[in-house]
Amino acid sequence: MEQYVLYGPLLAKVIYSREWEDVTRSSWCLHILIICALRGLVHQLWYSYSNMLFLTRDRLICRQGVGFKQIDREWDWDNFLILQAFIASMACYSFPSLANLPLWNSKGYIIALLLHIAVSEPLYYWIHKLLHSDYLFTHYHSLHHASEVPQSFTAGHATLLEHLILSVLIGIPIVGTSMLGFGSTILIYSYVLMFDFLRCLGHSNVEVIPNGIYEAFPLLRYLLYTPTYHSLHHKEMNTNFCLFMPLYDALGNTLNTKSWPLHKEKSSGKNGRIPEFVFLAHVVDMTAALHAPFVLRSFSSTAFRTRFFLIIMWPGSFLVMLVMWVLSKTFLISHYYLRDRLHQTWAVPRFGFQYFLPFATDGINKLIEEAILRADRIGVKVISLAALNKNEALNGGGTLFVKKHPNLKVRVCHGNTLTAAVILHELPHDVKEVFLTGATSKLGRAIALYLCQRKVRVLMLTLSKERFQSIQKEAPKECHSFLVQVTKYQAAQNCKTWIVGKWITHREQSWAPPGTHFHQFVVPSILPFRRDCTYGELAAMKLPDDVQGLGSCEYSMDRGVVHACHAGGVIHFLEGWTHHEVGAIDVDRIDLVWKAALKHGLRPV
């Protein structure tokens, strides 16, 4: 972010001139700042669109997702905007007439188009072809080709030499038209933004140009390239060198013969691949919604944290929530590959608070049911329910759907067996006593039963004697004494191991003795009020190292880490288990699932 300070001199010039000089003397500075902002927006909008997989998945050219390595490599993709802003400033100082152009001149568009076609296009073709010679490619052009999956941000990811060349190519039609007396402010805006628009189009990784247009007007394919056309250049680098017009590849005998057949295939909208595993998530809250992979890549590729800019974007998120509430269905949000198997994350278009509205539960269950039936229909092997989608009060941890549709081929999985295993394996090996809140929940019950069988005393916080006794009866008789019902937090004032399954306040945490560690399976995580205590993260596991195309973080998890229920579904799929994992947790399977996770390369965090 520090590099944006370099825009400071331009902003200072605008402010100074408005206060102490003629405003028109600094108008060019203001125009440069506005153009830079609009250019950044063009790249961002193209990125957002191409990564809205619910719209584009069937027209993706390269199906592999964008991984963290590529994201980090392209992190400063917009540095070229700063460079070209200063080049534009120098041009305005060198050619004062550029700073005093009329607003509009229709003849300028014809001159600029002719200069682009006759000068910029062939010049770029020749230079680009030269950049693919051994020495120049290794030292100046390989950086751009290092990105495996073209994205709009890849268009801006290049070396200084390449950006200087592009600056000249953009400048020729603008300066040339202005020197001939036909320049205008609107021409500069429209040419620069269209130049960026077409660059982003070629790097979008989504075929957006219908093949029918080229079949109706065959000559058009030589005047405007397509995303498929340019993607071939990134795969077979000795072809398709043009800027925007394949005409020059045809003249230079470098036009890839696969270009048109591949374009027809990719534009057909029949390129989707059926996922074998689906994680069915939901939106947490208004700010977490902005962590979606197609919103801001730099934000979604790091663990979710509350940031200042989220406050500014909150109203937009609120409007989207209202629209989703009325119109939206479950949609695809992200994907990755594990051992060449496609794993997808679908999102139920509901926010966390909506799950606690009595009048909304039937609608939510209907959305979840429709997602399960769709997964069953297209051939998904396992669908894993996240967080509130498997709420016991909502649908019995998925039991509702399995009973209603007994012939499901897709396996429904809540993943809580692995969640319990993760929490239990976080506990110290020599632990003798734990304090458990949310003790009669699905996870709380399994944890209590597991620990009591290992002679660990469990203080179960619950006001319901009936529910406590029901769980106690499930334990072997010789273990009954290790399960103790407590009704107040004061009962844990000497216990340093707390397992939190229910959100607790500062006052409730105050009963824990100094040095307590709070393990937790509550969403959202409890706030760390106590400086003399330590707080565990939500139960999670790191995916195997051979995962590919993973470029977004799962809510507050670090890179490559997913919630334990997500990992539990992955294990269910990898092991090929044929049973549904719904309802109560089978305590006897906790160790089995844990060993399976480690066997397949998943690791505790």
mmCIF file of all heavy atoms in Angstrom, residues 541-556:
data_model
loop_
_atom_site.group_PDB
_atom_site.id
_atom_site.type_symbol
_atom_site.label_atom_id
_atom_site.label_comp_id
_atom_site.label_asym_id
_atom_site.label_seq_id
_atom_site.Cartn_x
_atom_site.Cartn_y
_atom_site.Cartn_z
ATOM 1 N N MET A 541 -8.048 -28.037 9.972
ATOM 2 C CA MET A 541 -6.935 -28.863 9.511
ATOM 3 C C MET A 541 -6.379 -28.275 8.232
ATOM 4 O O MET A 541 -7.104 -27.645 7.450
ATOM 5 C CB MET A 541 -7.364 -30.310 9.277
ATOM 6 C CG MET A 541 -7.798 -31.040 10.543
ATOM 7 S SD MET A 541 -7.702 -32.832 10.392
ATOM 8 C CE MET A 541 -5.945 -33.120 10.653
ATOM 9 N N LYS A 542 -5.090 -28.494 8.023
ATOM 10 C CA LYS A 542 -4.434 -28.016 6.807
ATOM 11 C C LYS A 542 -4.573 -29.067 5.721
ATOM 12 O O LYS A 542 -4.314 -30.242 5.945
ATOM 13 C CB LYS A 542 -2.963 -27.718 7.079
ATOM 14 C CG LYS A 542 -2.234 -27.067 5.909
ATOM 15 C CD LYS A 542 -0.850 -26.630 6.307
ATOM 16 C CE LYS A 542 -0.095 -26.019 5.125
ATOM 17 N NZ LYS A 542 -0.777 -24.856 4.556
ATOM 18 N N LEU A 543 -4.991 -28.630 4.538
ATOM 19 C CA LEU A 543 -5.150 -29.546 3.423
ATOM 20 C C LEU A 543 -3.795 -30.104 2.990
ATOM 21 O O LEU A 543 -2.751 -29.491 3.258
ATOM 22 C CB LEU A 543 -5.812 -28.829 2.245
ATOM 23 C CG LEU A 543 -7.295 -28.457 2.422
ATOM 24 C CD1 LEU A 543 -7.764 -27.582 1.271
ATOM 25 C CD2 LEU A 543 -8.167 -29.708 2.518
ATOM 26 N N PRO A 544 -3.773 -31.243 2.304
ATOM 27 C CA PRO A 544 -2.500 -31.814 1.852
ATOM 28 C C PRO A 544 -1.725 -30.856 0.954
ATOM 29 O O PRO A 544 -2.304 -29.962 0.325
ATOM 30 C CB PRO A 544 -2.940 -33.070 1.075
ATOM 31 C CG PRO A 544 -4.277 -33.419 1.640
ATOM 32 C CD PRO A 544 -4.920 -32.115 1.998
ATOM 33 N N ASP A 545 -0.426 -31.048 0.871
ATOM 34 C CA ASP A 545 0.437 -30.151 0.103
ATOM 35 C C ASP A 545 0.156 -30.201 -1.391
ATOM 36 O O ASP A 545 0.509 -29.258 -2.117
ATOM 37 C CB ASP A 545 1.915 -30.490 0.354
ATOM 38 C CG ASP A 545 2.330 -30.203 1.790
ATOM 39 O OD1 ASP A 545 1.696 -29.327 2.416
ATOM 40 O OD2 ASP A 545 3.268 -30.857 2.287
ATOM 41 N N ASP A 546 -0.460 -31.271 -1.880
ATOM 42 C CA ASP A 546 -0.689 -31.387 -3.314
ATOM 43 C C ASP A 546 -2.000 -30.745 -3.769
ATOM 44 O O ASP A 546 -2.432 -30.945 -4.903
ATOM 45 C CB ASP A 546 -0.634 -32.848 -3.770
ATOM 46 C CG ASP A 546 -1.617 -33.739 -2.999
ATOM 47 O OD1 ASP A 546 -2.117 -33.293 -1.957
ATOM 48 O OD2 ASP A 546 -1.860 -34.873 -3.446
ATOM 49 N N VAL A 547 -2.634 -29.959 -2.903
ATOM 50 C CA VAL A 547 -3.829 -29.231 -3.308
ATOM 51 C C VAL A 547 -3.425 -28.189 -4.343
ATOM 52 O O VAL A 547 -2.368 -27.565 -4.260
ATOM 53 C CB VAL A 547 -4.512 -28.571 -2.092
ATOM 54 C CG1 VAL A 547 -3.639 -27.503 -1.468
ATOM 55 C CG2 VAL A 547 -5.864 -27.985 -2.490
ATOM 56 N N GLN A 548 -4.251 -27.991 -5.367
ATOM 57 C CA GLN A 548 -3.940 -27.073 -6.465
ATOM 58 C C GLN A 548 -5.077 -26.080 -6.666
ATOM 59 O O GLN A 548 -6.249 -26.413 -6.501
ATOM 60 C CB GLN A 548 -3.710 -27.850 -7.768
ATOM 61 C CG GLN A 548 -2.485 -28.753 -7.750
ATOM 62 C CD GLN A 548 -2.341 -29.493 -9.064
ATOM 63 O OE1 GLN A 548 -3.304 -30.039 -9.612
ATOM 64 N NE2 GLN A 548 -1.125 -29.525 -9.591
ATOM 65 N N GLY A 549 -4.698 -24.865 -7.051
ATOM 66 C CA GLY A 549 -5.691 -23.858 -7.400
ATOM 67 C C GLY A 549 -6.424 -23.252 -6.230
ATOM 68 O O GLY A 549 -7.457 -22.598 -6.415
ATOM 69 N N LEU A 550 -5.909 -23.422 -5.034
ATOM 70 C CA LEU A 550 -6.541 -22.829 -3.855
ATOM 71 C C LEU A 550 -5.964 -21.437 -3.648
ATOM 72 O O LEU A 550 -4.772 -21.291 -3.391
ATOM 73 C CB LEU A 550 -6.295 -23.709 -2.623
ATOM 74 C CG LEU A 550 -6.935 -23.247 -1.307
ATOM 75 C CD1 LEU A 550 -8.455 -23.256 -1.429
ATOM 76 C CD2 LEU A 550 -6.492 -24.136 -0.147
ATOM 77 N N GLY A 551 -6.804 -20.414 -3.765
ATOM 78 C CA GLY A 551 -6.298 -19.052 -3.685
ATOM 79 C C GLY A 551 -7.081 -18.150 -2.755
ATOM 80 O O GLY A 551 -6.887 -16.937 -2.759
ATOM 81 N N SER A 552 -7.976 -18.727 -1.955
ATOM 82 C CA SER A 552 -8.726 -17.912 -1.001
ATOM 83 C C SER A 552 -8.742 -18.625 0.343
ATOM 84 O O SER A 552 -8.684 -19.852 0.403
ATOM 85 C CB SER A 552 -10.161 -17.674 -1.494
ATOM 86 O OG SER A 552 -10.839 -18.896 -1.681
ATOM 87 N N CYS A 553 -8.820 -17.839 1.391
ATOM 88 C CA CYS A 553 -8.843 -18.405 2.742
ATOM 89 C C CYS A 553 -10.285 -18.627 3.181
ATOM 90 O O CYS A 553 -11.182 -17.856 2.830
ATOM 91 C CB CYS A 553 -8.148 -17.461 3.727
ATOM 92 S SG CYS A 553 -6.371 -17.326 3.455
ATOM 93 N N GLU A 554 -10.477 -19.666 3.941
ATOM 94 C CA GLU A 554 -11.812 -19.996 4.434
ATOM 95 C C GLU A 554 -12.075 -19.210 5.714
ATOM 96 O O GLU A 554 -11.619 -19.582 6.797
ATOM 97 C CB GLU A 554 -11.917 -21.507 4.675
ATOM 98 C CG GLU A 554 -13.350 -21.996 4.820
ATOM 99 C CD GLU A 554 -13.443 -23.504 4.702
ATOM 100 O OE1 GLU A 554 -13.444 -24.011 3.568
ATOM 101 O OE2 GLU A 554 -13.483 -24.169 5.753
ATOM 102 N N TYR A 555 -12.782 -18.101 5.546
ATOM 103 C CA TYR A 555 -13.113 -17.203 6.646
ATOM 104 C C TYR A 555 -11.853 -16.787 7.407
ATOM 105 O O TYR A 555 -10.930 -16.233 6.807
ATOM 106 C CB TYR A 555 -14.165 -17.860 7.544
ATOM 107 C CG TYR A 555 -14.777 -16.913 8.569
ATOM 108 C CD1 TYR A 555 -15.089 -15.596 8.243
ATOM 109 C CD2 TYR A 555 -15.049 -17.331 9.865
ATOM 110 C CE1 TYR A 555 -15.648 -14.731 9.179
ATOM 111 C CE2 TYR A 555 -15.620 -16.481 10.808
ATOM 112 C CZ TYR A 555 -15.906 -15.184 10.451
ATOM 113 O OH TYR A 555 -16.450 -14.333 11.373
ATOM 114 N N SER A 556 -11.742 -17.078 8.694
ATOM 115 C CA SER A 556 -10.603 -16.605 9.485
ATOM 116 C C SER A 556 -9.436 -17.576 9.498
ATOM 117 O O SER A 556 -8.463 -17.376 10.227
ATOM 118 C CB SER A 556 -11.059 -16.330 10.927
ATOM 119 O OG SER A 556 -11.592 -17.513 11.505
#
